[in-house]
């Protein structure tokens, strides 16, 4: 192998730059030519790439976002798009492509492998942590801390005004950020998609929980963390409904894309650095069609299909203590 290419695709995540840095440094250490495609799979279609030297990755380990830019690319999902990308890789003399992204990007990797014989390796990069085969994804730990910092601030004002706040967090269709942020912030309630696989939360039950909490503790603040895409109309609609039923001030806070930004925390930098370096070593051994993950401090190689073929499970112990032990209503029953 002589020429290694990489790209970042889908939702950017803090730590992607740390992964780029690790790949570039490892690539040069092993004497490879390294290029980076810009704007995700769009760069493959447009032949938009740049050479990446060690000096290009100076001082990026601490930066959020991705120096290669990211995008979601519809054109690439067609057969024509993948054939074009394969031709372009061939022309650019690329032997291995490393894709940093989420499950959509890994599906793209498999699509490309139908038309290109080079080796393709994935690194899990998404704040959602919804990828099987790795304990965590690059960006997840930073997103929890970012959400937490905001929830702690909301708690101050919620306490001062004895208000109810509904805090909507990202995660697409997974509750990893929601569960972690709720446990770490001491939220009174959390609504996660995994807790309602075939149903909706019941507003009367939620109101009952708030009222019981107030009976137990007196009038005080109440924080409910809610995952995006769980409630039609989101946190704003649910807050209005609770407000109408209780007459208590109930405010929505939608954290949104702030959770995607910021300097990566140490755990994300460490994970990205390990995964990036290992990906290059795996490529040198001729591996292909796999995501590199980390489980119990061991690097693992996971076939792409296994990263998305079933929903990733939330930590069952964390769910149990959040739902039972830390639920002040159940705890004082
Ligand atoms: O996958 C990362 C993520 O931030 C999800 O949490 C969220 O649902 C989605 O991307 C938002 O995508 P976009 O930035 O395209 O609106």
């Amino acid at each position: 192998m002589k020429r290694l290419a990489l790209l970042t695709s889908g939702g950017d995540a803090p730590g992607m730059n740390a992964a780029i840095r690790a790949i570039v440094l490892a690539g040069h250490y092993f004497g490879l030519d390294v290029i980076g495609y810009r704007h995700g799979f769009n760069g493959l279609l447009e032949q938009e790439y740049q050479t990446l030297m060690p000096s290009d990755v100076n001082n990026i380990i601490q930066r959020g976002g991705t120096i290669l830019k990211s995008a979601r690319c519809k054109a690439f999902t067609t057969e024509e798009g993948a054939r074009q990308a394969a031709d372009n890789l061939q022309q650019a003399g690329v032997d291995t492509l490393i894709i940093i992204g989420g499950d959509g990007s890994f599906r793209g990797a498999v699509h490309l492998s139908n038309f290109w014989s080079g080796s393709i390796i994935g690194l899990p990069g998404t704040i959602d942590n919804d990828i099987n085969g790795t304990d965590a994804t690059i960006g997840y730990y930073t997103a929890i801390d970012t959400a937490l910092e905001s929830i702690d601030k909301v708690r101050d004002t919620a306490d001062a005004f004895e208000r109810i706040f509904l805090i909507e967090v990202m995660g697409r269709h997974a509750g990893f950020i929601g569960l972690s942020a709720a446990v770490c912030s001491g939220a009174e309630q959390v609504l996660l998609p995994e807790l309602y696989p075939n149903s909706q939360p019941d507003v009367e039950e939620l109101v009952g929980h708030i009222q019981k909490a107030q009976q137990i503790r007196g009038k005080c603040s109440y924080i409910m963390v809610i995952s995006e895409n769980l409630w039609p109309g989101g946190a704003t609609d649910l807050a209005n409904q609770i407000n109408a039923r209780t007459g208590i001030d109930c405010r929505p806070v939608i954290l949104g894309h702030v959770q995607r930004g910021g300097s990566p925390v140490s755990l994300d930098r460490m994970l990205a650095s390990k995964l990036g370096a290992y990906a290059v070593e795996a490529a040198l051994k001729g591996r292909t069609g796999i995501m590199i993950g980390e489980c119990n401090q061991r690097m693992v190689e996971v076939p792409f299909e296994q990263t998305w073929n079933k929903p990733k499970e939330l930590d069952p112990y964390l769910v149990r203590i959040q739902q039972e032990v830390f639920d002040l209503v159940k705890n004082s029953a």
Side-chain angles (χ1 to χ4, degrees):
M1 188 201 19
K2 282 211 176 70
R3 192 164 229 207
L4 177 72
L6 67 146
L7 59 84
T8 48
S9 158
D12 52 287
M16 280 185 165
N17 280 326
I20 294 170
R21 172 180 178 271
I23 294 165
V24 170
L25 295 183
H28 281 268
Y29 177 80
F30 290 112
L32 306 174
D33 234 17
V34 185
I35 63 169
Y37 282 96
R38 293 168 62 79
H39 302 111
F41 289 110
N42 288 297
L44 275 187
L45 297 182
E46 304 293 327
Q47 277 299 40
E48 189 193 359
Y49 65 82
Q50 63 186 91
T51 304
L52 288 171
M53 301 301 290
S55 59
D56 293 314
V57 296
N58 279 343
N59 302 331
I60 66 164
I61 196 168
Q62 74 277 26
R63 284 171 52 191
T66 155
I67 59 163
L68 290 176
K69 313 288 181 189
S70 193
R72 306 188 201 278
C73 179
K74 268 247 164 74
F76 176 74
T77 59
T78 62
E79 180 175 333
E80 196 192 341
R83 282 191 191 282
Q84 179 69 57
D87 284 352
N88 289 349
L89 283 161
Q90 189 79 26
Q91 256 183 42
V94 172
D95 310 286
T96 294
L97 176 66
I98 300 181
I99 295 169
I100 310 169
D103 68 319
S105 310
F106 296 164
R107 287 171 208 264
V110 172
H111 179 51
L112 176 63
S113 70
N114 294 320
F115 306 97
W116 185 58
S117 59
S119 75
I120 311 180
I121 293 181
L123 295 191
T126 165
I127 62 166
D128 302 333
N129 195 32
D130 57 350
I131 295 182
N132 277 302
T134 186
D135 291 341
T137 53
I138 297 166
Y140 169 54
Y141 292 117
T142 307
I144 299 170
D145 277 12
T146 303
L148 197 52
E149 203 182 316
S150 297
I151 299 173
D152 287 348
K153 286 182 175 146
V154 170
R155 175 67 85 179
D156 290 344
T157 174
D159 253 353
F161 267 76
E162 297 170 322
R163 275 176 171 154
I164 304 165
F165 273 87
L166 262 64
I167 313 229
E168 185 176 301
V169 296
M170 276 190 166
R172 198 176 291 274
H173 300 294
F176 292 92
I177 299 175
L179 176 63
S180 303
V183 169
C184 297
S185 65
E188 279 68 29
Q189 176 73 273
V190 61
L191 306 182
L192 310 169
E194 291 82 353
L195 301 176
Y196 300 94
N198 305 307
S199 60
Q200 284 278 304
D202 181 89
V203 182
E204 294 306 331
E205 269 177 33
L206 297 177
V207 167
H209 193 274
I210 293 168
Q211 288 168 338
K212 276 191 203 130
Q214 292 193 328
Q215 279 161 21
I216 295 162
R217 296 188 306 175
K219 194 165 181 254
C220 60
S221 66
Y222 184 103
I223 298 234
M224 189 186 300
V225 173
I226 166 169
S227 294
E228 65 173 348
N229 301 320
L230 173 64
W231 185 263
T236 306
D237 181 79
L238 188 55
N240 287 340
Q241 293 206 31
I242 294 174
N243 207 337
R245 282 176 170 76
T246 57
I248 305 169
D249 247 347
C250 182
R251 303 293 175 96
V253 175
I254 296 161
L255 296 184
H257 287 78
V258 72
Q259 294 158 98
R260 287 243 292 262
S263 182
V265 298
S266 58
L267 284 173
D268 277 325
R269 297 185 199 192
M270 208 105 75
L271 179 65
S273 300
K274 284 162 100 174
L275 297 180
Y278 189 94
V280 175
E281 297 199 275
L284 284 165
K285 288 180 197 144
R287 305 275 200 274
T288 186
I290 49 163
M291 176 197 80
I292 307 301
E294 185 184 40
C295 292
N296 290 325
Q297 294 192 5
R298 292 283 178 279
M299 310 311 284
V300 291
E301 300 176 7
V302 188
F304 279 130
E305 280 82 359
Q306 288 179 23
T307 66
W308 72 71
N309 63 3
K310 57 179 191 299
K312 184 174 181 177
E313 196 192 10
L314 294 173
D315 174 346
Y317 185 68
L318 199 58
V319 172
R320 186 164 71 76
I321 55 175
Q322 202 290 321
Q323 294 288 290
E324 298 290 330
V325 182
F326 301 153
D327 182 325
L328 63 119
V329 172
K330 287 185 189 149
N331 191 317
S332 64

